[in-house]
Structures are given as C-alpha cells and as structure tokens.
Amino acid sequence: MKKVLLLLVAALLLFAGYQWLNPTPEKFIRHRLIDLAKAASFQSSEAPLAKLANAQMISSFCSQNVEISVDLPGRQTGTVAGRDEVMQGLLASRRAVSSLSVDFYDITVQLSTDRESATANLTVRARTSGDRDDYIQELRFTFQKIEGDWFIVRVQTIKTLTLLLPLP
Amino acid sequence: MEQDQNVPKPGWLRIALVGRNPKRTLFRALMLAVVCLVTFKFILLPIRVEGISMLPTYKDRSFNLVNRLAYRLHHPARGDVVSIRTAGISLMYLKRVVALPGETVEFRGGQLVVDGTPVIEPWLKFPSNWTLPPRRLGPDEFYVVGDNRTMPPMNHTQGVASLDRIVGKVLL
C-alpha cells in the first residue's frame, strides 16, 4: 500500500513537473500577459536601468511588426506600429508619469484551430500617480507563434459602451 | 450509567468552537459555505463602487450587491441602475438605464430627451449642461449613463450597452 501511494505521489509530481516545463499555449500566453502587466508597472523610484530593462522586456514580447491601435474617441486615437515605436512609446510614458500600476483582469485566451495564433481578451486597470480615478479599458491581444515562441502582433481597444453616431 | 459519568464533558471553548456535536457542526459549516458560494457568485454579486460618476446616488467606495437574476424574466427598465461587464465581471461599470431599445435619445442643455419628449430624472441632483445629438438605439441596446453629469460628456463613461453585457440590477 505504501509503495502504491509513493508511486502515485511520484507520478503526480512528474505530471506537475511536465506541465510546468511544457505549459499549454493558453497558460503560456496568460503568464506572458501577467509578466507584461508587471513590466508595464513602475514606481517613481525605478532606476533608469530598470526602466530600460522593463521597456525592453515588453518590446521583446512583441513581434517586429506589432501594431497597437487605440480608438477612444474624445480621449486618444492612433496607432503605434513596429517594435521600435513601441519601445519609444514605453520610454516616453515612463518619462511622462512618475508611477504607473497596471493590472490585467478576466484574461480569456482562445487558440485558433491551427494553434498558430491566439486572441486574448482582458480588462486593464491602470493607475497613475496624481489621477483620482483608475483607468479601465478592455483590450484584445492577438498572438502569433513565430519560430516556436508566442509574440504579440496586435493590440486593440474594445469599447464596452459604444457611442452611436448622431442621426443624419 | 457509570460509563456516561466517566466520559469527560467537553470544555466551553470546544463547545464554542465546534459545538457539542463536531460532525453536525462540520456539516452545517459546509452547507453554509455552499449556500454562501452559490448566493454570492450566481445570485447576489458583492461589489464595491469606485469613482464619482454615480454621485450622489452611490458614493465612492460604498458597498452594494448586484442581483444577477433581475433580468431573467424581463428587460431592464428606464431608471434601473445596472452593472455592465467589461471582459469579465471582476471590473464592471455601474450606470443608469435612461433609454430603451428602439428609442431615440439625446441631451439638450442638460435635459434628457427620449423620442423627442423631455424625461424627468428625479435621481439627478447636480446641474448639467450636456448637449448631445440624437441617436437611435437598436434592438437589445440600452443607453446608460451616470447620475453625476457635472463633467464634460467626453470625460464621462456612457453609451450603448448591449443586453448581453448587462450583468444585473443593483440591489441597494
């Protein structure tokens, strides 16, 4: 009985170890997004080298031709394309605000049928120093498998409440 | 009879913690946990209100509950305060329904106008000067807005919520 139990525990440990070493694409993407949120957050006391390292880490999650489209009428509208532009934008944002806290909620990952691309929907909650209210926005990340690794190829804003066009 | 007298009586602390019959207490605790889980996950969702957009009806950092079964049998009505999900229900918007599917909604100098008729909003306590052009809602679309309209309309999260985004009605 004791041997059976030991074998069972060993089998469970092996399975858990295998799962940890070979995560499913959904798990991998989820972890990548959590790492992204951590790297996007910073404190006023963050050292310049750490700022650069975190910005580099975020841009390394993106593909060379990544596209970030922001469509928030009345607030911000525009597109950032390419890893270099993303890097510049990240460094500029770190200069513009003294601290930023980013959290991702309700992450759902959906793999395509060929398992070569995936979309992740989530809600981001961002808080900057000095702002009274948190900033909340739904986002959709599109990932693509490039040379065995998952990279962000597109980020879009999703409108929770849509504004209708005025009647003609 | 003699055996009963030899059995030591449980102390008051033990009675207070696990009751006279620990098995029954465990069963009750489990049942209570199940009831709480079902109630607060699927029926009454506890929420904490954050922000100023629903002032003065709902204050910043106040506690409330969302009745998830409220719209099982009927659609939201004008004046209902509803919670609207984002990507999930961890973060939701708390807004008031001011226009219903198929209606045309507009704001004229702070006055809500639905299908060309001014609507009295008793929940509105602060002055507003919003002027927004008329918009027609589609089927299963509701126009939602906060009670605090003192800020410019572009700084106030508002708009059309589809029925599938409405999680439930705010209870308190």
Side-chain angles (χ1 to χ4, degrees), chain A residues 6-27:
Chain A
L6 273 173
L7 274 172
L8 203 69
V9 169
L12 276 172
L13 282 173
L14 272 173
F15 180 73
Y18 179 80
Q19 289 280 313
W20 187 69
L21 289 170
N22 301 291
T24 60
E26 287 94 336
K27 241 182 204 171

Side-chain angles (χ1 to χ4, degrees), chain B:
Chain B
M1 190 69 184
E2 207 170 284
Q3 269 182 339
D4 283 352
Q5 281 175 346
N6 289 338
V7 175
K9 279 188 178 176
W12 65 269
L13 186 63
R14 197 188 138 173
I15 291 172
L17 287 173
V18 293
R20 286 181 197 282
N21 187 336
K23 275 183 187 171
R24 190 179 289 172
T25 306
L26 183 67
F27 177 75
R28 281 176 178 166
L30 280 173
M31 288 305 290
L32 188 68
V34 170
V35 168
C36 284
L37 189 79
V38 171
T39 305
F40 295 120
K41 198 167 168 67
F42 301 105
I43 303 168
L44 295 172
L45 206 60
I47 57 163
R48 194 177 73 166
V49 180
E50 281 186 21
I52 56 164
S53 80
M54 281 303 284
L55 280 175
T57 319
Y58 297 102
K59 289 182 174 64
D60 186 25
R61 299 188 180 274
S62 60
F63 169 83
N64 217 311
L65 293 162
V66 172
N67 177 6
R68 299 190 74 176
L69 304 179
Y71 302 123
R72 291 277 160 190
L73 299 174
H74 60 88
H75 283 1
R78 195 185 331 278
D80 283 0
V81 178
V82 297
S83 67
I84 298 145
R85 68 166 179 82
T86 51
I89 59 167
S90 300
L91 295 173
M92 296 188 286
Y93 287 112
L94 193 72
K95 298 286 167 191
R96 193 178 293 276
V97 175
V98 293
L100 306 173
E103 291 181 337
T104 302
V105 57
E106 66 177 303
F107 290 91
R108 285 186 209 151
Q111 172 70 59
L112 169 70
V113 178
V114 175
D115 286 339
T117 311
V119 175
I120 296 164
E121 296 182 278
W123 47 81
L124 220 60
K125 304 291 180 203
F126 302 141
S128 156
N129 60 356
W130 286 10
T131 295
L132 293 170
R135 312 123 199 258
R136 182 163 296 139
L137 299 171
D140 288 340
E141 285 184 344
F142 297 82
Y143 201 88
V144 295
V145 62
D147 289 354
N148 180 7
R149 300 172 204 164
T150 52
M151 63 289 279
M154 280 306 183
N155 294 344
H156 183 106
T157 307
Q158 57 168 316
V160 180
S162 53
L163 185 62
D164 63 314
R165 278 195 178 267
I166 295 176
V167 177
K169 186 179 177 179
V170 174
L171 196 73
L172 307 170

